[in-house]
Amino acid sequence: QQEDTQISDIPLAKELDPGETMVSKIETLREALPQGMSMVVVFPDSLGELEQAGQLIEILGRLAGIMREAEVFSGGGLCPITPDINSTGALLMGATPKRLPGFTLLSDPKARERCAELWQTSELPKDELKSVEEAVESEETKALFIQNAASLFETNTVKWKRLLKKIDFLVIQDSVPSQAMDFAQVVLPASAFGEQPGTVFNMERRLLHLRKAFSSPGQALPDWEIPRRLLEAQGFEVPSTLERIQREIGRACHMDLE
């Protein structure tokens, strides 16, 4: 694992001879990549829409297999990225108007008592809240904090352009630029996948532990560190490290994330 290595620094072969076989192309890539790094082959699910999708995914699979067998990298595997890849984790965390952490209903007395104690408050919502879209559409919501706004515009650009114009104060936390930032008063740069440790649920609802493989550019911070600093600045007592945050999540969701 090389903390300071950036993707742009890796001397990948820019052009391959069209006459090369699939195996020789993979060997060319293997020789070009530096040793001693953690590696995973990540590709978008939109790759499946291409005519040559089967061949491309086979090439990626063989590349990952060669890396693993040759012990060039610690790790190696295929990871398709889809728009809803972390929906399980979001629901588990209570990121929905209908539920609290742990998939528990907002009306569950025991869950309310547990969360009120963890969050040091007695002012939990009594009724199900409107969805973000409904609240913005009705103009009840005047300020909004959005993480990963780029994905919203990927799902429906026209709708979210119209909705975000209704917001008086918009804060966006993201790792990639998007049209959503044109509507924001504040943009907070966040670390991307591979630039921060943590946990994520995959499409099979398996809990995966993530390791930091690259340094974050500029002033980007881990996505858990940004809200932590904002809460701390407002005088709230919040966990100071990722490990402490994971322990609190474990208590709220009845599971072990460490």
Side-chain angles (χ1 to χ4, degrees):
Q1 184 176 2
Q2 298 176 350
E3 290 281 339
D4 297 329
T5 300
Q6 302 294 324
I7 293 178
S8 59
D9 297 330
I10 298 176
L12 293 174
K14 294 183 179 180
E15 295 182 5
L16 295 173
D17 184 346
E20 287 183 301
T21 64
M22 184 185 302
V23 174
S24 64
K25 289 181 180 181
I26 293 174
E27 287 292 342
T28 301
L29 284 175
R30 184 186 66 80
E31 294 173 0
L33 291 167
Q35 295 187 356
M37 292 181 62
S38 299
M39 173 187 171
V40 62
V41 179
V42 180
F43 61 93
D45 62 344
S46 57
L47 184 68
E49 300 173 5
L50 302 177
E51 292 183 2
Q52 64 273 41
Q55 184 183 23
L56 291 173
I57 293 175
E58 183 180 358
I59 290 174
L60 294 176
R62 291 192 181 185
L63 173 62
I66 288 175
M67 299 302 166
R68 185 169 54 249
E69 292 172 7
E71 297 183 352
V72 176
F73 294 110
S74 57
L78 296 182
C79 181
I81 301 297
T82 70
D84 302 317
I85 196 165
N86 199 27
S87 58
T88 298
L91 292 173
L92 181 65
M93 292 298 298
T96 167
K98 299 181 179 181
R99 295 184 180 273
L100 291 169
F103 293 110
T104 53
L105 292 173
L106 186 62
S107 58
D108 186 323
K110 292 184 178 180
R112 293 177 65 86
E113 182 179 353
R114 182 178 67 252
C115 290
E117 181 180 355
L118 283 173
W119 298 339
Q120 305 168 37
T121 182
S122 59
E123 300 180 1
L124 293 177
K126 295 182 179 179
D127 303 312
E128 293 182 4
L129 302 174
K130 291 183 177 180
S131 69
V132 173
E133 295 179 36
E134 292 175 331
V136 174
E137 188 71 72
S138 64
E139 300 186 1
E140 293 180 33
T141 297
K142 301 298 182 182
L144 200 60
F145 185 109
I146 301 179
Q147 291 180 306
N148 193 19
S151 63
L152 294 179
F153 273 65
E154 290 177 359
T155 57
N156 194 323
T157 302
V158 175
K159 179 182 73 174
W160 282 104
K161 278 186 176 181
R162 178 177 59 80
L163 290 176
L164 294 185
K165 286 180 180 179
K166 297 174 175 284
I167 298 297
D168 294 336
F169 186 72
L170 176 63
V171 179
I172 289 180
Q173 173 183 323
D174 215 332
S175 58
V176 295
S178 70
Q179 296 180 58
M181 293 181 180
D182 296 337
F183 302 91
Q185 281 69 45
V186 178
V187 175
L188 302 173
S191 301
F193 177 85
E195 297 175 351
Q196 56 182 319
T199 54
V200 65
F201 280 90
N202 65 11
M203 295 296 286
E204 296 179 336
R205 297 189 177 185
R206 296 178 183 273
L207 178 64
L208 306 178
H209 287 265
L210 305 179
R211 293 183 179 181
K212 180 178 177 179
F214 307 103
S215 298
S216 299
Q219 297 179 324
L221 294 172
D223 52 19
W224 59 269
E225 177 67 15
I226 294 174
R228 191 201 70 78
R229 291 192 183 189
L230 291 174
L231 290 170
E232 188 176 59
Q234 296 178 72
F236 291 98
E237 185 178 343
V238 292
S240 58
T241 65
L242 177 60
E243 291 73 21
R244 292 182 178 180
I245 291 174
Q246 289 176 329
R247 283 197 291 270
E248 181 171 317
I249 293 174
R251 291 195 297 270
C253 301
H254 298 295
M255 63 182 303
D256 184 8
L257 296 181
E258 297 185 84

